[in-house]
Amino acid sequence: MTRRLAWIVLALALAACDEERGQNEQRQILQDDAPRALAVIRQDLDDGLAGVRAAAERLAPGFAVEDPARREGDLRAGLRLVQRPTRQRVPELMTLPITFLAAVDPDGTVIARDANEDRMRGFDLAGAAPVVRRALDGSAGYALSSLPSLLENDPPSVTVIFAAPVRHEGRVVGAVAGGLPLWRITQQLSRQLQLENAEETRQGEIVWALLLEGDTQHYHAGFPPDLRELIPDPATRRAGLERSAGGFTGEVQQYGRWYGFGVIPLPSVGEDVTLILFRSDP
């Protein structure tokens, strides 16, 4: 092949790549990434609810202990044991990326959580998360809640709270509640998609996920700052979802590289929660 012909072939290849403008990435998002991400989220929600229900059954004897100090100690130990490979284990809680599991008193305050450094002790969780109050009234469920930070100057944590009533001798004696923050789901989705595309990512492919609650971005520490700038603005998201209520894809360029993106509403997680997916081929 002559040098001139080689340049022509290269120019045509580059033109074809530019003309594609993220189309291949959009197809992969539609065919692979979005279904996989939605399946992971669905499994998280199912596991979270099943997990707190099972934990409530296992921990019921601890709620019946009369001595407050002993009850707190027994429950704290039990909250850890149900998440570990012990006889008390709850399989759903061993894999779910929750950030806390707590025992809640009938008055709605936290008796203990699954950590020795327990900043949640005495916190009115039922006041902050109505789903916990409903559990104390006898109904298990999950819902998105905004929990105030227990650390000074930290923003609230927008978290899926799973809660189930604890029953002893036929009456509700408390609740078990677990928390799965949106940033943690973002981290889980990104890691899962990257793991399932490990060979491609080693070759330079980019795959990331992020969650929005309203216009607020929820992401973990490792999320690329430059990608956050590519998230479609509210007007673009509204227009796209008006055309396709179940979600839509598009393309965007940054630093000469094309990305495909997906925008998918997640009403199962929260009323105004949206999944954003990014993919870019090498």
Side-chain angles (χ1 to χ4, degrees), residues 22 30 35 40 59 64 79-80 90-91 93 95 156 171-172 177 191 194 204 207 209 212-213 218 223 253 255 276 281:
L30 284 171
V40 170
L59 297 173
L79 290 164
R80 292 198 292 262
V90 173
L93 296 179
T95 56
R171 62 187 182 91
V172 175
R191 288 178 174 175
Q194 290 162 5
V207 187
L212 300 176
E213 193 255 337
H218 295 270
F223 194 90
Q253 189 181 36
Y255 309 137
I276 307 293
D281 290 342

Side-chain angles (χ1 to χ4, degrees), residues 1-67:
M1 181 183 294
T2 67
R3 179 171 296 186
R4 178 177 174 78
L5 181 57
W7 277 109
I8 291 173
V9 172
L10 177 59
L12 289 173
L14 290 174
C17 289
D18 188 61
E19 187 176 310
E20 191 174 90
R21 292 173 24 133
Q23 295 299 313
N24 183 56
E25 289 90 338
Q26 292 181 65
R27 285 191 293 270
Q28 288 180 283
I29 288 171
L30 284 171
Q31 295 172 7
D32 301 321
D33 300 338
R36 183 65 181 124
L38 292 174
V40 170
I41 292 169
R42 181 71 262 167
Q43 192 65 57
D44 280 350
L45 298 178
D46 290 346
D47 285 350
L49 189 53
V52 293
R53 280 174 164 157
E57 292 182 9
R58 285 166 173 71
L59 297 173
F63 279 82
V65 173
E66 293 186 3
D67 179 72

Side-chain angles (χ1 to χ4, degrees), residues 90-229:
V90 173
E92 294 87 351
L93 296 179
M94 293 174 65
T95 56
L96 188 69
I98 55 176
T99 55
F100 73 82
L101 189 67
V104 183
D105 194 75
D107 68 2
T109 60
V110 173
I111 301 169
R113 62 154 295 177
D114 54 340
N116 287 326
E117 187 178 351
D118 192 350
R119 291 190 176 95
M120 291 186 71
R121 183 176 179 273
F123 174 65
D124 184 8
L125 188 57
V131 69
V132 176
R133 174 53 60 194
R134 292 194 290 273
L136 292 169
D137 291 336
S139 299
Y142 65 84
L144 196 66
S145 297
S146 182
L147 299 183
S149 175
L150 301 178
L151 299 175
E152 190 175 356
N153 299 324
D154 272 13
S157 175
V158 180
T159 300
V160 180
I161 302 293
F162 305 93
V166 177
R167 291 183 171 87
H168 182 70
E169 296 180 348
R171 62 187 182 91
V172 175
V173 294
V176 170
L180 179 58
L182 293 188
W183 71 262
R184 189 76 162 183
I185 300 175
T186 288
Q187 182 184 53
Q188 178 194 29
L189 293 175
S190 293
R191 288 178 174 175
Q192 186 67 37
L193 292 174
Q194 290 162 5
L195 178 64
E196 294 178 3
N197 292 271
E199 182 60 34
E200 292 85 352
T201 55
R202 279 194 292 269
Q203 296 173 7
E205 189 169 72
I206 294 173
V207 187
W208 288 93
L210 179 144
L211 292 181
L212 300 176
E213 193 255 337
D215 294 328
T216 303
Q217 301 174 9
H218 295 270
Y219 53 91
H220 59 287
F223 194 90
D226 289 346
L227 275 188
R228 292 171 50 204
E229 299 175 3

